[in-house]
Amino acid sequence: MEPLARADWFKFRSVDFTQLDALEDCLEAFAKRELDGVVIRQVYPEAYMREISSRIERHEPPFHVFPRGADPHKARQGKHLYGITLVAADRDLPEYFRVAEGFRVQCRDLFRDGADYEARLKSIFEVLGGGRSVELPRNPDGQGYMPATIRILPSGAAIDLHCDNNLSHHPSYAHLKTVCDVSDQLSFFLTLNAPGGGGELFVYSRRWSDSDDVGSQYVVSKDASLVEGCECLALKPQPGDLILFAGGRIYHRVAPTEGTRPRYTIGGFLARANEGRTLYYWS
Ligand SMILES: O=C(O)CCC(=O)C(=O)O
């Protein structure tokens, strides 16, 4: 993690994975608005992230690619995902749950000779949640949601300004909303490969408000003018670092990547159960 300027509007903590206990129960502080972000450094060794990145580069295992085009090779030259997000699946939820099942198997294969990704993330969230159980949500037929997506940003690609509370307006969130409180969801991602330049996560002092979402509509990205004049901070986690932040209520974007090394991250969202103490993660 590069040095971070402290700002009173972005309350932030950064620890090594070996000191994870220092973050015990910190989700409570997120809920009370006493904390906005944490970085856990070296959740995986950098050398292992290089190995994982070269597998991703080779498309091995052959994850489902989104967007789906006539020519998958061409789709993999632009900004794309391995897996599919709930909003990208749109109304084709049977497809989403099919892809999710395959993704879980392929993700285990991707991390086959290191700590399993899903197991490691679950164990971290258990500590951050002060011993709460951590589960993948399931639809009424028992099918699991996507545990994460892999985001691939080649040179020049970016993720435009957005705030994740807006996702809950999407019709595909209807069932998930009955399971967990998506109105203040957290966002997390593990950096697998950092680009030569750019690719920073920019967080803004502007907080989400209901009235930002005209007609309670889901939109892929927000107009940059929304954060004009707001303060911002750039975070650039290194390969192996996990960031968790209040992406539901904090406007953020990923700056365009520069150079020949693409940006690879794997991540999703985290929220508390509507009833009981469980935490749920999905993408
Ligand atoms: O960098 C990423 O993988 C995604 C960051 C982001 O926009 C989010 O987590 O909402």
Side-chain angles (χ1 to χ4, degrees):
M1 186 78 196
E2 291 182 349
L4 178 82
R6 297 273 155 182
D8 54 7
W9 55 266
F10 189 73
K11 295 177 209 78
F12 176 82
R13 293 183 65 185
S14 160
V15 303
D16 282 325
F17 181 53
T18 51
Q19 302 158 346
L20 187 64
D21 287 350
L23 294 180
E24 196 178 345
D25 212 12
C26 75
L27 295 191
E28 209 48 52
F30 272 100
K32 291 186 191 144
R33 310 282 198 273
E34 290 164 4
L35 191 61
D36 297 310
V38 296
V39 170
I40 305 163
R41 293 181 301 262
Q42 295 301 287
V43 162
Y44 283 96
E46 234 177 298
Y48 193 52
M49 295 293 89
R50 276 197 294 279
E51 174 57 29
I52 295 291
S53 296
S54 66
R55 289 174 190 166
I56 287 174
E57 175 75 41
R58 297 195 300 269
H59 196 204
E60 175 207 302
F63 285 99
H64 175 96
V65 176
F66 179 88
R68 206 88 191 130
D71 179 354
H73 181 71
K74 202 155 167 215
R76 286 184 52 232
Q77 284 163 359
K79 168 176 158 179
H80 60 288
L81 296 177
Y82 284 170
I84 190 169
T85 58
L86 193 48
V87 291
D90 205 14
R91 280 160 212 269
D92 194 356
L93 288 181
E95 154 109 328
Y96 171 85
F97 287 107
R98 248 192 330 271
V99 173
E101 195 179 350
F103 184 93
R104 293 188 83 193
V105 175
Q106 290 167 333
C107 195
R108 276 197 291 277
D109 186 18
L110 180 64
F111 285 82
R112 58 187 170 265
D113 39 16
D116 178 67
Y117 165 83
E118 228 184 301
R120 173 137 297 182
L121 271 277
K122 271 180 86 164
S123 68
I124 292 173
F125 296 151
E126 274 160 18
V127 175
L128 272 43
R132 289 164 183 267
S133 67
V134 179
E135 302 287 340
L136 190 70
R138 293 192 171 272
N139 71 8
D141 294 331
Q143 295 174 292
Y145 278 70
M146 286 281 301
T149 39
I150 295 173
R151 296 88 186 245
I152 299 169
L153 301 185
S155 186
I159 300 177
D160 291 336
L161 185 71
H162 63 284
C163 205
D164 296 311
N165 277 352
N166 175 263
L167 294 170
S168 64
H169 296 316
H170 196 283
S172 62
Y173 265 65
H175 169 258
L176 193 63
K177 282 200 249 188
T178 66
V179 176
C180 56
D181 181 10
V182 296
S183 68
D184 199 9
Q185 63 188 61
L186 302 178
S187 222
F188 64 87
F189 64 87
L190 170 73
T191 297
L192 304 170
N193 199 44
E200 301 89 348
L201 172 73
F202 275 88
V203 290
Y204 289 87
S205 55
R206 183 178 179 124
R207 294 297 196 261
W208 181 80
S209 117
D210 252 330
S211 54
D212 293 348
D213 296 340
V214 180
S216 295
Q217 286 293 310
Y218 163 74
V219 289
V220 176
S221 56
K222 292 284 192 179
D223 199 279
S225 62
L226 262 184
V227 293
E228 223 169 68
C230 294
E231 288 184 72
C232 69
L233 279 178
L235 305 169
K236 191 163 183 184
Q238 297 303 303
D241 294 349
L242 175 73
I243 181 161
L244 174 81
F245 68 104
R249 60 177 187 251
I250 292 178
Y251 275 92
H252 58 282
R253 70 181 174 95
V254 177
T257 60
E258 294 159 19
T260 51
R261 269 202 336 259
R263 180 182 189 273
Y264 298 146
T265 55
I266 178 169
F269 308 109
L270 186 69
R272 291 161 176 246
N274 289 333
E275 279 167 36
R277 283 175 46 82
T278 303
L279 295 167
Y280 287 101
Y281 60 98
W282 77 95
S283 182

